[in-house]
Amino acid sequence: MQKFLSNQNKLFLSLLIIIFQVFLSKPIEVLADLPTGNAVKDPSAILRNALPIKQVELQELQHKLEDTSDLVRGGRWPALTKTVTKCQSLLKKYQSRIIKDLPNDKQNIAGETFLELKEDLNSLLDHAKLKDKFSFVATRKEALDKIGGLEEYFLPNQFPYAIPDEFDNLPRLLGRAKVNIKTSKGDMKAIVDGFNAPLTAGAFIDLSTKNFYKDLPINRAEEFFVLQTGDPIGEAIGYLDPETNEERHVPLEIRIPNENDTFYNQTFEDLGMYTETPTLPFATLGTLGWSHSNTAVDDGSSQFFFFLYEAELNPAGRNLIDGRNAAFGYVVDGFDVLEQLSKDDTIISIDVLEGIENLKLNA
C-alpha cells in the first residue's frame, strides 16, 4: 500500500504548519478599500466640472492641472514637474484654438489670461524644484481659478436644460449665485448652482432675499453627517406662500452627467441607478443639500443642510445621500467655521453677493 504521507508530502505539510503559526502570531494586515465613484473632493473642481460647456481642450488642461493634487500631497516632485511641463505643452498647443472659439469681445481678455496662466505654470515649476508645497498649492489655485473663468466664457446664452411646465409657478435660478452665510461662529461663502438644480437653488436664493433664514437655529446636528437649518419659528415646518397661505414645495431634482434631462421626484433607487454619481455629488465637506420628509421626496420647502463629509463614514460614490437628496451648491470658504458649528448655533443671515440677476420668480 502506498504511504499516506510521502517525504514530499511531509515537507509540504510542515510548511503549511509553519505558515499557519505565523498567521496566528501576527495580525493580518488589512489594506484600505478605495471607494469607487467620483473621486473629486474639491468643491471648486466639482463646480468647474459641472459647468454645462463642451470645451474639451480647456477642460483637458484643467484636469491635467487638477491631477497634481495627489502628487503634491505625496511629495512626488519629479512627477509634479513632469505634469506641470505637460500642462505647459497643452497651453501652448491649445491656446490659439481656444481663443478662436470665443466671442470677439472675450478674445483680448482671454489672451491676457493665458499670459497670466503661462506665468503661473512657470511659477509652479519653480515651486516644484524647491519642493515648496504651500506655494505650489496657492499658485495652482490661482491658475485653476483663471481656467474656470475662461470656461465660463463658453456658457450657453440660453439656459440649457428644460424645466417641466408643472413647476412654472416656482422660482428658479438660471445660472449661479454666490452667498455669504453669516453664523454665530463666523462667516462662510458658498456657490449655489442653478445650472444643475435650478428649482432647488431658486428656492434657496428666493428665501435668502426674503430674509427667511434670519436668526434661525441649527435644528439638527449629527456628528460627521449633517447640520440642518431652515425650520421657521412656530408650527410651520417650511415656507408659507403669503398669497395662498400654503406651504411651498420644491421637487427633488437631480442631474446626471451626459443625460439630456434632469430627473424630477425620482431617486436613484427609483431609476435603478444604484451606482450612479450625480453632477453635483455629496463628495466634500460643505455640500449644500435640500431636505425633504422621510415619506416623500417632493415636500421639501425651506430646510437645508450642510453635509459634513467624512471619508470613512461617507465615501465619495458610496454614501446614502447621492440620488436621494438634491445637492445645490458648495461652501467654498469658511470651512473652519463650518467645523465649529453645532446645535447651539444660529444662522444670522444669508446674503446674496453675486448672481441675483439669475433669479426668476417663475417661468
Side-chain angles (χ1 to χ4, degrees):
M1 180 183 292
Q2 183 181 12
K3 289 184 179 181
F4 179 69
L5 289 177
S6 65
N7 290 334
Q8 186 176 3
N9 287 337
K10 286 179 181 178
L11 178 60
F12 181 69
L13 181 60
S14 298
L15 287 173
L16 283 178
I17 292 172
I18 292 171
I19 294 171
F20 183 66
Q21 288 175 336
V22 170
F23 273 101
L24 286 179
S25 62
K26 181 181 179 181
I28 298 174
E29 182 182 5
V30 179
L31 299 177
D33 181 24
L34 296 175
T36 58
N38 193 334
V40 179
K41 303 177 186 67
D42 174 52
S44 297
I46 293 172
L47 286 164
R48 282 191 293 270
N49 290 331
L51 286 172
I53 65 170
K54 290 191 180 300
Q55 217 304 322
V56 292
E57 293 90 355
L58 194 53
Q59 289 170 312
E60 183 182 350
L61 175 61
Q62 171 206 325
H63 295 150
K64 180 59 67 174
L65 191 53
E66 287 171 347
D67 285 345
T68 61
S69 294
D70 290 337
L71 298 176
V72 75
R73 276 195 295 268
R76 298 173 59 190
W77 300 109
L80 271 172
T81 299
K82 184 177 180 180
T83 303
V84 175
T85 302
K86 176 64 176 176
C87 289
Q88 290 177 317
S89 299
L90 291 175
L91 184 67
K92 184 177 180 180
K93 178 181 179 181
Y94 292 142
Q95 176 177 337
S96 298
R97 192 183 311 175
I98 293 170
I99 292 177
K100 186 178 178 181
D101 287 344
L102 283 168
N104 291 334
D105 61 331
K106 302 294 185 185
Q107 290 184 359
N108 289 336
I109 301 173
E112 294 174 3
T113 303
F114 274 115
L115 288 175
E116 295 173 3
L117 268 174
K118 183 179 179 181
E119 291 302 315
D120 287 340
L121 294 178
N122 289 336
S123 296
L124 287 175
L125 277 182
D126 293 337
H127 299 326
K129 291 175 183 176
L130 295 172
K131 300 182 180 180
D132 186 344
K133 281 189 179 183
F134 179 81
S135 297
F136 188 97
V137 171
T139 303
R140 183 188 60 193
K141 183 183 184 305
E142 293 175 4
L144 285 169
D145 285 345
K146 292 183 178 77
I147 291 173
L150 288 170
E151 288 174 337
E152 290 181 6
Y153 291 155
F154 289 93
L155 287 169
N157 294 325
Q158 302 276 334
F159 187 74
Y161 307 121
I163 301 174
D165 295 344
E166 62 186 292
F167 306 125
D168 279 356
N169 62 321
L170 294 177
R172 65 274 327 274
L173 186 70
L174 305 181
R176 286 182 175 171
K178 186 174 186 178
V179 299
N180 185 73
I181 304 172
K182 188 177 186 64
T183 78
S184 49
K185 285 289 197 311
D187 290 13
M188 299 178 288
K189 289 182 174 56
I191 301 296
V192 179
D193 187 355
F195 287 120
N196 297 287
L199 298 182
T200 313
F204 176 79
I205 295 297
D206 178 52
L207 293 177
S208 297
T209 62
K210 289 178 166 66
N211 293 319
F212 179 88
Y213 296 110
K214 180 178 173 61
D215 297 329
L216 288 187
I218 291 175
N219 57 288
R220 177 187 177 192
E222 295 188 29
E223 193 173 9
F224 306 123
F225 189 43
V226 298
L227 290 169
Q228 184 167 312
T229 186
D231 185 4
I233 306 299
E235 295 183 2
I237 60 172
Y239 169 69
L240 294 180
D241 188 325
E243 295 185 4
T244 63
N245 204 33
E246 294 181 354
E247 190 174 272
R248 185 174 73 188
H249 289 164
V250 180
L252 172 68
E253 66 180 340
I254 299 174
R255 275 204 62 78
I256 298 174
N258 301 318
E259 288 284 343
N260 291 328
D261 298 320
T262 302
F263 293 102
Y264 285 91
N265 290 332
Q266 292 177 289
T267 66
F268 279 3
E269 188 175 4
D270 295 332
L271 296 166
M273 298 179 174
Y274 300 98
T275 60
E276 193 61 69
T277 299
T279 304
L280 299 179
F282 288 91
T284 187
L285 174 69
T287 306
L288 301 178
W290 201 250
S291 302
H292 55 73
S293 72
N294 291 327
T295 58
V297 296
D298 62 350
D299 60 359
S301 181
S302 63
Q303 297 190 47
F304 73 96
F305 58 87
F306 302 94
F307 183 58
L308 305 180
Y309 175 77
E310 175 57 46
E312 293 182 359
L313 300 177
N314 298 289
R318 286 187 179 176
N319 63 63
L320 298 178
I321 305 182
D322 280 338
R324 296 187 181 185
N325 289 82
F328 62 94
Y330 297 90
V331 171
V332 294
D333 187 44
F335 297 102
D336 56 331
V337 173
L338 179 57
E339 291 177 323
Q340 294 177 52
L341 293 176
S342 69
K343 202 170 182 180
D344 298 325
D345 289 301
T346 302
I347 303 295
I348 296 174
S349 65
I350 300 179
D351 301 305
V352 182
L353 304 176
E354 301 172 12
I356 189 62
E357 68 278 3
N358 295 323
L359 176 65
K360 310 301 177 187
L361 296 182
N362 51 54

